[in-house]
């Protein structure tokens, strides 16, 4: 079985308590679970979906540690999903320096200030130029990779969330991010949230991106992006099959950096 490293709780925009998420992971037989609540730079939507100020981050860390101590039967990891916004590197670095995290997911949810994956953005006029959104997104994602700060890229092709796909011209942009990730030794997350959205119907990233990542030697981890306990570990069998079809035989275990065979 594989660990789930992308789980949100009430500390950011998730609905559940940490203990309930851990119990779901144990019920599925997962060997480890990592919490990855949103760390968002101050400003827009900071407290709406992010952990909030430093004191909240400290509370989050304390609760992950306490939960890990309560459940010795499973490894509980301390992670974060860090929202990469160009220009906020120093602010984020100061927050990250407060604790020792087991891993960090680097994610992009804003392109030039546009929160493209929020529900209220679904019919925003900026979607009239789909390629432009993707181009801005991959430019930002590449900058996130190049900071060298993150363990894994979260939901690689997130702009497809509402079913809009880019033209084939965007393949080159995807490849630039993949090349940067390979050069940085960064990992890619196979995120199963897309499997739960009818407009997407596949993992983030799509199978063809995953196959190209494999050819570049980029390692993979798995994440449900659960925002409620019952989604922890959701879709993992299908995601593992997708990774195998892309040529992967193993996945990275974040607790100790070992490569373990995919089920
Ligand atoms: Zn995200
Ligand atoms: Zn997430």
């Amino acid at each position: 079985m594989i660990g789930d490293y992308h789980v949100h709780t009430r500390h950011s925009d998730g609905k559940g308590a940490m203990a309930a998420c851990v119990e779901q992971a144990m019920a599925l037989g997962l060997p480890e679970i990592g919490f990855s609540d949103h760390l968002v730079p101050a400003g827009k939507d900071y407290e709406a979906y992010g952990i909030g100020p430093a004191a909240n981050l400290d509370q989050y860390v304390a609760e992950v540690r306490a939960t890990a101590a309560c459940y010795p039967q499973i490894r509980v990891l301390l992670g974060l999903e860090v929202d990469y916004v160009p220009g906020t590197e120093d602010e984020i670095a100061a927050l990250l320096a407060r604790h020792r995290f087991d891993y960090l997911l680097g994610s992009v949810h804003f392109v030039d200030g546009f929160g493209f994956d929020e529900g209220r953005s679904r019919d925003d006029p900026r979607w009239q130029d789909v390629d432009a959104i993707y181009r801005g997104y991959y430019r930002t994602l590449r900058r996130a990779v190049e900071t060298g700060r993150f363990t894994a890229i979260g939901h690689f092709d997130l702009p497809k969330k509402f079913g809009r796909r880019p033209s084939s011209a965007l393949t080159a942009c995807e490849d630039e991010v993949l090349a940067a990730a390979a050069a940085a030794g960064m990992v890619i997350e196979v995120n199963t949230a897309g499997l739960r959205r009818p407009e997407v119907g596949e993992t983030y990233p799509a199978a063809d991106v995953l196959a190209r990542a494999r050819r570049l030697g980029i390692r993979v981890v798995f994440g449900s992006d659960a925002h409620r306990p019952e989604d922890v570990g959701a879709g993992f069998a299908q995601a593992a099959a997708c990774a195998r079809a892309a040529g992967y035989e193993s996945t990275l275990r974040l607790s100790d950096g070992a490569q373990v065979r995919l089920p």
Side-chain angles (χ1 to χ4, degrees), residues 6-8 13 36 38 81 105 107 109 155 191 225-227:
H6 197 148
V7 176
H8 297 282
D13 62 347
S36 62
H38 291 280
E81 179 177 16
L105 303 178
S107 293
H109 301 106
H155 43 58
N191 180 306
D225 215 342
H227 283 72

Side-chain angles (χ1 to χ4, degrees), residues 85-252:
V85 177
T88 63
E89 289 88 345
D90 292 347
E91 176 192 343
I92 293 295
L95 287 168
L96 295 178
R98 298 175 72 85
H99 302 281
R100 255 185 73 120
F101 294 92
D102 293 315
Y103 67 93
L104 300 171
L105 303 178
S107 293
V108 171
H109 301 106
F110 290 94
V111 172
D112 303 323
F114 175 39
F116 65 87
D117 79 318
E118 297 169 44
R120 61 175 182 246
S121 300
R122 175 188 287 269
D123 298 314
D124 190 281
R126 279 169 279 199
W127 281 113
Q128 275 162 15
D129 191 345
V130 173
D131 273 9
I133 301 286
Y134 275 92
R135 219 173 271 116
Y137 172 80
Y138 284 121
R139 193 193 321 117
T140 311
L141 189 60
R142 184 174 163 185
R143 284 184 68 173
V145 169
E146 288 171 350
T147 64
R149 225 168 228 302
F150 309 115
T151 316
I153 299 175
H155 43 58
F156 186 93
D157 49 5
L158 181 64
K160 72 186 177 187
K161 181 172 177 181
F162 299 127
R164 296 182 181 92
R165 305 289 177 140
S167 75
S168 57
L170 265 291
T171 306
C173 298
E174 296 165 358
D175 284 340
E176 282 174 16
V177 180
L178 291 174
M186 208 167 155
V187 178
I188 277 192
E189 174 207 25
V190 182
N191 180 306
T192 64
L195 297 171
R196 305 194 292 278
R197 293 189 70 84
E199 309 99 306
V200 177
E202 61 181 19
T203 57
Y204 306 99
D208 65 305
V209 175
L210 210 47
R212 282 181 276 143
R214 172 72 189 92
R215 287 199 284 277
L216 290 171
I218 298 172
R219 295 167 298 171
V220 282
V221 294
F222 291 79
S224 64
D225 215 342
H227 283 72
R228 37 182 212 159
E230 55 267 45
D231 284 337
V232 169
F236 272 31
Q238 197 177 336
C242 179
R244 278 197 308 273
Y248 283 97
E249 292 176 350
S250 61
T251 176
L252 182 66

